[in-house]
Amino acid sequence: MKQPRLKARDKDTIIQALNAGVVPRLGLQHVQVGRAGEVQALVRDIERVADGGAAFRLVIGEYGSGKTFFLNLIRLVALERKLVVASADLGPDRRLHATGGQARSLYAELTRNLSTRTKPNGGALASIVERFVADAHKSATAGGQSVEDEIDQRLAPLQDLVSGYDFTSAVAAYWRASDAADDEQRAAALRWLRGEFGTKTEARQALNVRSIIDDSNIYDYLKLMAGFVRIAGYGGLLVTIDEMVNLYKLQSTQARSANFEQLLRMLNDVLQGNNGHLGFVLGGTPEFLMDTRRGLYSYEALQSRLAENRFATDGLVDMSGPVLRLQSLTQEELFVLLGRIRSIFALGDPAAYLVPDDAFAVFMEHCSKRIGEAYFRTPRTTIKAFVNLLSVIEQNPGAQWQDLLGYIEIEHDRPDDELVESNSEDDELTSFKL
Amino acid sequence: MAAVSSQSTASMASQQNFIAGVSVVALGWIFRRKQTPLQGDSRKDSHQAALDPRDRRRSRGVKWIAPGERVDIAGHTISAGMLYVGRARSSDRQWRSTIDPSLEVARHNADIHGELMSYWPSYATLAPRSRLAYLQWLAGGRSDPSVGVGLAFLFFYGLEKRLFADKAHGEIVMLIAEVERLRELFAHNRSFRRYSGHFLDAARAIQALAANSGTVDEPPSQSQDVDWELPLTLRLALGRRLAAGEALTADWMLTWYLAHPETRLRTPASRAFPLFCDLFRLRFKAAYPDGLLISPPKPKLNYEYRAASGDFTSTISADSPDIINLRQPIRVATTLAESCADELAGYSRLIGKNPDVAHGLEAISLLPKDLREHSMREAGADLTRWLESTVGDTIGVAKGSELLTRLELELDNAVRIPKKLVRTMSSILEALGYGMEPDPRYGGPSPKSEEPVVLFKTPKNGGGASGHAYTSAMATLAIAAGVAHADGVIVDQEIGQLVNSVQDNLHLTASERRRLSALATWLLLVPPPFAQLKKHLSGISEDSRHRLARFALATAAADDRIDASEVKLLERFYKLLDFEPNALYSDLHALEGDDAAIQDEPITVRPATADARKHRIPTEPGAERAGPIMLNHERIERVRRETEVVATVLSDIFAEPADSEPDLAPEVGADKPAAFDGLDRRHTAFVDELLRLESWPRTDFEALCRSLQLLPDGAIETVNEWSFERFDAALIDDGDPLVIQYDVLPDEAREAAA
């Protein structure tokens, strides 16, 4: 990957995000350290999608191993390759399959976050639809036929897919509304495409479209969306879903199975070559994958397909399977990462480095003394502390980094969800035994 | 002025007949916009404007101030008029251009560069400092071009309202003159040029509608500076022609084609624009001597004038057909234009590399034949005189280097003139009616610069040579020369004989014969590379040598007899080919036998005589009567077949060390993309407008999109995709306001925009 120049406003975005302990939306390529094999595997996936193929990856890593970071990086690569990316986190109210609107809500979230290279922060649905409509309009006037005919003709390949007719109708409705400068209708068409209509009656009244996107068919609509963005001139659609662990947390066996079944459908479609221009990258923790009671391995059909290459252990990796495991950062990788953060502060200019190389080791040592071994397993806190240190030096040019070390606060990082709570229960149990 | 005005007033009466309807539609969204008054530091400078008391009594409404009518606003005296002044009643519509004298005007720090003005300025919401600048500009006779273009736009909005919304068609001449004056003044601003262009186009269309319903003979002049819309005047004029059943001439088609929004001129066409236009006319006339007749389409002309102010739209319709959706004529023109661009490609490549040579001999020689004649006569006058004195009527000789100088060409140090350069020499000469030998275009080698070159005058119909007979005769000459040089002595007699046989060859055209004579002369003057013929010949396969030998035999026997001198030449040739001398005789013998085998029937003992009346003897099969000449077709076929073999063998021999540069240089730097290359005309206009401001309130931005008939989000996506492709970053930062990232653009694009 070529190294693009770093812009001052990107610097601020990255530093603010790192400071807040979240993954920056922009400029990830400046922070990425190591993981060349993993990145390459996914870049190949993206290229396959752009060439008309399909991809399915489970990115599995421990808490703090950088899954979200990795997914975001992949997202950016995909955008750069002219793919459209839809991303969302699963949650209690967002699932792959549901009966109470949670699946539709996931779809709505995915389409709201639809991004293109020119709109990397989501909200690109209107742009994509308008670009398509404007193009159709242009060639319709050039070819002397009506715009609606042109739209129908262009979207004809979608008609073969499930619900293709309704999808086409919604796009045509968008055109009619734009032509008539009817903002309300236009918003309604977009709402329909985003899956925001709750009932069919509502949709029929607003748009004269008979069906809606609901819990049972979101995967079909993702396929349609992939076909659509392709026709609109993009490379394809990449769907990234994080926090898959929420499926593992589902209490009802039936609900879990229904969701896993959707995953199986996706995986099967990919393995059998039924999809084109569509890729899935899903992030989850090891227990989500391997727990034989509630994880993916509890679902026999998935387990056999996801079983790992048993020769790829002890440092050997096989990245051709659907499961991609992220290991936590090593000390050395952390060292390099600190270097890259320093470089971001200096906008890539070595003359402007705020601290010398020696500072890294001292800093790491300091962190490890303060919070123990966890400091490099969950690099978040270390990075945050380091960013704080550099910010202070940047604002107080006279300050010596050695003097400041003692004042830098380093918090213990802990997962803030219920998993940890259950762990701590275990701890109590242990102490009870004692 | 007065005379002109009254004239146009007189024509008012007939206007209604032709303007089926001019309606004004207010655009509601303009008024739904949240008006955010701009901040100005005017508190202490404020000054309450006072109209003349009489004015205040008389008109509570807004009044048009005619030119020459004096008006005082906030202490500024404006005498040139052409303004709307007054205080609109609250129930009235608000117009951007209207000057409300009661609004506060700053006293100092006039915002002359319009830094406080938005893209859609409105007097009512101007900052007091901007109002000061506006009034000062008006009071100064509105002729200062250094002010911000926003001021000009604000004034222009008033003119626009006057003509299209208030339909003051009686003042049309005056209004057009004023807009033309402003357009001249602000010609440096593309945005103003575009909008004032729309105004003038629509105004002239109204004039044309009022003046008469007939057709115009001359189309507007052709230019590359076109808009994203077909001009209304052109639509009207074309429609009327079609309705009248008049064929479209080359000029009309060219104008239509150039003004069409879908047209993308290729580099050769835009680089050599005047030549392209000339060529287009020539080719069109050749293809359609009587012009192109098109049946008029059914829909009637209906045009919507969108005010630059965004305040209103006004419909102009006429009772003539609307050609806007016709595709077929544009397809015809496009095909024609494409082939014209192809014809100009070589010329374009040359002047793309070096624009200084556009009028040089080389450039001219690359032009299509019928296009270059005139300029060639001019540019080549000296050369022609020299050629005339050197060549006279027949053949002349000049040193390669001298010829190069005469042709204004340069050779860098090479001993042998590169093939490409020889081609250029030859094509320049050809353009003047001369030919040269050797000439790689006709199978010869390229000469060395210190060697002589033979020049000759080509017949009127050109100096081309392409037939089988020519290749064959050339091979004969080459071989003869080779044979002649084989023993180191050139026997003039022998060559002369062969040249004569070439001259007598009836299969050759006049120009081929002339070229061969020149070649023969050159072969006499320049022994190499034929001295090396033996070396070359020994290098080729035995099979090829046999073929060559057979060819030489066939050539010698072509006139049905082989005399002693020919046998003598052939003997030497066989030696050259490294054959046994005796082989020649058996081959000659076989040739006769071969002939006998072909003519497998009784030989003629006594020819039929005219008086043999009783029994008619049929004509010989295989021999046809073609005029006075008897042709043996088998023999011709055989010679032809052999010729092909020889041509390939010869081309091996003539093959030189390949020229280092390829024949067709790629368009180096030729296709340097224009600043907005890759965007269509509509989006180019869009980016043009966008670049006027760095920050765009969302509402203004959407209004701009509407005025260009673009969808806002789609337009951002298209432009940003394009700028990612071109400059690796997005040009438009979406949001409210939208921000234009100037630093994304390369310098030349920024300059183009400024």
Side-chain angles (χ1 to χ4, degrees), chain B residues 359-361 364 372-384 406 408 432:
Chain B
H359 301 292
L361 286 170
I364 294 169
R372 72 185 171 207
E373 251 156 44
H374 176 70
S375 34
M376 200 56 175
R377 259 202 302 281
E378 262 175 30
D382 288 345
L383 181 61
T384 312
R406 294 283 174 183
E408 299 167 12
L432 289 166

Side-chain angles (χ1 to χ4, degrees), chain A residues 74-287:
Chain A
I74 295 314
R75 215 178 118 259
L76 290 181
V77 174
L79 293 178
E80 202 53 40
R81 298 286 158 98
K82 288 198 183 176
L83 259 54
V84 175
V85 181
S87 33
D89 291 351
L90 287 191
D93 54 346
R94 286 199 288 269
R95 294 186 224 148
L96 294 172
H97 183 276
T99 46
Q102 294 95 330
R104 189 167 59 79
S105 151
L106 171 67
Y107 181 84
E109 179 72 9
L110 283 171
T111 42
R112 253 197 304 279
N113 288 337
L114 217 53
S115 25
T116 61
R117 181 165 60 160
T118 63
K119 277 209 155 190
N121 295 327
L125 181 63
S127 308
I128 296 165
V129 175
E130 286 198 358
R131 179 176 150 173
F132 168 76
V133 168
D135 244 27
H137 178 231
K138 199 172 141 195
S139 57
T141 35
Q145 65 170 336
S146 86
V147 180
E148 289 198 39
D149 286 350
E150 177 77 25
I151 289 177
D152 270 357
Q153 222 169 325
R154 286 186 177 211
L155 295 186
L158 299 188
Q159 306 264 9
D160 299 340
L161 299 172
V162 181
S163 305
Y165 177 76
D166 295 318
F167 191 91
T168 309
S169 308
V171 175
Y174 188 91
W175 154 247
R176 276 193 303 275
S178 309
D179 196 32
D182 183 343
D183 285 348
E184 220 168 285
Q185 275 285 306
R186 220 165 51 167
L190 282 183
R191 275 185 64 206
W192 191 93
L193 288 171
R194 277 201 294 259
E196 287 175 7
F197 278 112
T199 65
K200 291 184 183 179
T201 326
E202 219 184 323
R204 195 168 56 240
Q205 280 165 356
L207 276 178
N208 203 17
V209 176
R210 257 166 239 156
S211 70
I212 54 166
I213 299 171
D214 62 29
D215 281 343
S216 62
N217 57 14
I218 69 161
Y219 178 51
D220 294 319
Y221 276 99
L222 286 176
K223 287 204 247 181
L224 277 170
M225 191 57 86
F228 177 64
V229 300
R230 176 69 196 149
I231 294 169
Y234 300 88
L237 179 68
L238 183 75
V239 180
T240 66
I241 303 178
D242 205 357
E243 309 295 349
M244 292 297 283
V245 74
N246 279 291
L247 298 184
Y248 163 87
K249 288 185 206 160
L250 286 174
Q251 292 301 325
S252 145
T253 318
Q254 216 179 346
R256 272 202 315 273
S257 304
N259 274 284
F260 290 165
E261 212 169 305
Q262 291 296 318
L263 282 179
L264 181 64
R265 250 186 96 193
M266 295 175 187
L267 182 57
N268 277 344
D269 275 351
V270 169
L271 295 177
Q272 293 161 6
N274 293 340
N275 286 343
H277 297 288
L278 179 58
F280 289 95
V281 180
L282 314 169
T285 49
E287 62 268 29

Side-chain angles (χ1 to χ4, degrees), chain A residues 31-49:
Chain A
V31 195
Q32 175 62 30
V33 166
R35 293 195 172 149
E38 288 86 346
V39 172
Q40 272 166 14
L42 276 168
V43 167
R44 273 198 299 278
D45 281 359
I46 287 165
E47 268 157 15
R48 193 163 52 231
V49 170

